[in-house]
Amino acid sequence: MVRPRPVLLGAVLALLLAFGGGLVLIPAGGPGAEAADEGLPLPPDIPRLAEGPQYEECLGLLRSDPDGALSFAEGWEGAGGGEGARHCAALALLALGEPDRAAERLEALARNSQGSAAARAAVFAQAVQGWMLADQAGRAYAAATMGLTIAPEDTGLMLDRAVALGTLGRYRDALDDLARVTQAEPDRAEAWVFQAAALRHLDRLPEAVGAVDRALALAPDNAEALLERGILRQLRGDAKGARADWQRVIAVAPDSAAADLAQQNLALNEAGPKRR
């Protein structure tokens, strides 16, 4: 089953910090700083751990009123809400900017749940994102690995683990997971972007260029792919091409983390000659 991957801002920032390199700077505020303002890792077709109107009501509150969702979940758990209540409470903590507490609960829930393998894998994926938001890539790697023990063909978890491995500097191991993803889903543009970045960190620039070109062939306006190609162009001495890519990032995704990083890279690009 191909499970859609949500894109939390914090998760994207963690990924870019793992694979950024080049001119990319670490954004201020930390990887979880804006978690509460972004969508939760809860696409509508992710398998649920429970059923019933209270579960759906609680999940429905997450985006509009996470404080209310937490209060609802805690009251419901006290009345015997079980796994559904604990799941909603953990996601509410994530929405409220407490990713470490959320990830701890999500991981425990995924380990001990009586739900289906698909549902448990989905919760492990949510735990991975929580740990990444909490800047704990080692815990994210462990959670992804546990998820893959029950859903070994889950390419989303493979991708999550690759991001965690990249954050830990384990680029060769990340490439192993990314190779499995691109083999299973060759049209998955973000996997090619991450592969390009990992290859760049290993100084395999021609291969990195090939991977990012593949990503952009699949998704010409993918902001992360454009950001990465700009970095590669800068490293290869093509300052004009790098500027064009970073300007395109800002044009196609002006409110994204990639655009923030592209803007910083443009500023550094402009400042470079003056420093010399």
Side-chain angles (χ1 to χ4, degrees), residues 62-110:
L62 287 170
R63 287 187 175 87
S64 62
D65 184 11
D67 279 307
L70 182 59
S71 296
F72 184 101
E74 289 173 342
W76 181 28
E77 185 174 4
E83 289 187 0
R86 291 194 292 275
H87 187 209
C88 187
L91 292 175
L93 288 171
L94 187 60
L96 290 168
E98 298 189 50
D100 47 350
R101 291 181 62 200
E104 190 83 54
R105 294 188 186 196
L106 289 164
E107 188 176 310
L109 186 58

Side-chain angles (χ1 to χ4, degrees), residues 99-223:
D100 47 350
R101 291 181 62 200
E104 190 83 54
R105 294 188 186 196
L106 289 164
E107 188 176 310
L109 186 58
R111 283 199 308 266
N112 300 315
S113 173
Q114 299 302 307
S116 68
R120 292 175 63 205
V123 178
F124 270 121
Q126 292 168 342
V128 172
Q129 293 191 19
W131 288 127
M132 292 301 292
L133 285 165
D135 198 23
Q136 295 198 44
R139 296 291 299 268
Y141 167 77
T145 299
M146 285 188 283
L148 285 166
T149 64
I150 61 172
E153 303 304 316
D154 189 317
T155 54
L157 276 169
M158 292 176 207
L159 202 58
D160 290 341
R161 188 167 69 174
V163 172
L165 285 165
T167 307
L168 294 168
R170 294 172 56 183
Y171 302 111
R172 288 182 177 83
D173 292 333
L175 283 174
D176 289 340
D177 276 339
L178 292 166
R180 293 175 64 196
V181 175
T182 55
Q183 182 176 7
E185 297 181 46
D187 293 339
R188 192 161 188 158
E190 70 268 29
W192 291 105
V193 179
F194 306 160
Q195 186 177 93
L199 288 164
R200 170 169 51 78
H201 270 279
L202 294 170
D203 293 323
R204 293 161 59 178
L205 296 190
E207 293 171 83
V209 170
V212 81
D213 285 348
R214 180 71 177 268
L216 286 164
L218 293 166
D221 284 336
N222 181 291

Side-chain angles (χ1 to χ4, degrees), residues 21-43:
L23 295 176
V24 176
L25 299 176
I26 296 175
E34 299 182 59
D37 296 328
E38 298 298 314
L40 288 162
L42 195 70

Side-chain angles (χ1 to χ4, degrees), residues 7-18 20 23-28 30-35 38 133 222-228 231 245-246 248-266:
V7 182
L8 285 176
L9 174 58
V12 172
L13 287 178
L15 181 149
L16 291 172
L17 296 181
L23 295 176
V24 176
L25 299 176
I26 296 175
E34 299 182 59
E38 298 298 314
L133 285 165
N222 181 291
E224 285 75 26
L226 289 164
L227 180 68
E228 176 61 28
I231 295 168
D245 277 338
W246 295 331
R248 184 63 181 160
V249 172
I250 296 166
V252 299
D255 298 322
S256 68
D260 291 342
L261 294 170
Q263 187 62 60
Q264 293 176 55
N265 285 357
L266 285 167

